Amino acid sequence: MSVELVLGARRSGKSAWAEARAVELRIGTYLATAAAHALDAERLAAHRARRIGRFVTLEPGDPGELVELVRTVPGGLLLDGLGLWVGWQLSSDHDVSSGELVAALARRSSPTIVVSDEVGWSVHPERALAQRFVDELGALNQAVAAIAAQVTLVVAGLPLRLKGA
């Protein structure tokens, strides 16, 4: 299997660590989910600036397009991140399942790094949609971890290997 899952809390350093790992593995394509959710323009600009000259960046227009890109992009791929994808999926009319994304990831033969938020240690939401988000992302993280050859948790910018060599 060629999938590596990188988990971490918000501002844990998971994206920067995953980008450095992608450079090590000579991954050239960055699949970014944040553009559709540009809630924090400054953070989005910082992420984009880090990628300049290091990656070809693809920013899908909807959740289904992201799954299609995972299926079809040749070579190594860095997907950042699943949390925004789940939020996007829950707030859109597109009927694409997390299972489709996991299946597309499982079929990839080239190195693939997937970044996601670890939601289990956060404040517990009171609203139904927020609870659904936490449940959906937690289930998706578990499904991706099950097919991943490696799983790394990043805390304070430091990696802790949970699965794999």
Side-chain angles (χ1 to χ4, degrees):
M1 284 186 260
S2 61
V3 174
E4 180 171 350
L5 176 62
V6 178
L7 297 166
R10 184 177 176 126
R11 303 301 251 187
S12 65
K14 65 188 174 295
S15 291
W17 189 88
E19 290 165 12
R21 178 84 173 121
V23 169
E24 282 177 30
L25 297 174
R26 294 187 169 92
I27 291 175
T29 304
Y30 197 114
L31 185 52
T33 59
H37 299 282
L39 301 175
D40 186 343
E42 193 172 303
R43 179 180 289 181
L44 180 60
H47 271 253
R48 283 180 171 156
R50 277 199 322 251
R51 296 192 299 256
I52 292 175
R54 296 168 66 187
F55 302 99
V56 171
T57 300
L58 304 175
E59 295 177 342
D62 63 62
E65 184 182 356
L66 181 134
V67 173
E68 187 60 27
L69 288 169
V70 169
R71 285 185 186 122
T72 60
V73 168
L77 181 67
L78 169 56
L79 188 163
D80 189 359
L82 294 184
L84 287 172
W85 185 80
V86 167
W88 194 11
Q89 181 187 25
L90 291 174
S91 65
S92 75
D93 294 332
H94 296 86
D95 189 26
V96 59
S97 73
S98 294
E100 290 176 75
L101 177 57
V102 174
L105 288 167
R107 286 192 293 272
R108 289 192 54 82
S109 59
S110 298
T112 304
I113 298 173
V114 179
V115 178
S116 189
D117 302 292
E118 175 50 60
V119 294
W121 295 333
S122 64
V123 175
H124 297 288
E126 293 182 14
R127 296 196 171 151
L129 182 59
Q131 289 175 356
R132 183 169 173 214
F133 169 80
V134 169
D135 291 346
E136 294 282 333
L137 184 55
L140 179 56
N141 284 347
Q142 289 182 50
V144 174
I147 63 149
Q150 295 184 75
V151 178
T152 303
L153 175 66
V154 178
V155 179
L158 301 172
L160 175 62
R161 190 62 50 112
L162 304 177
K163 178 181 178 183

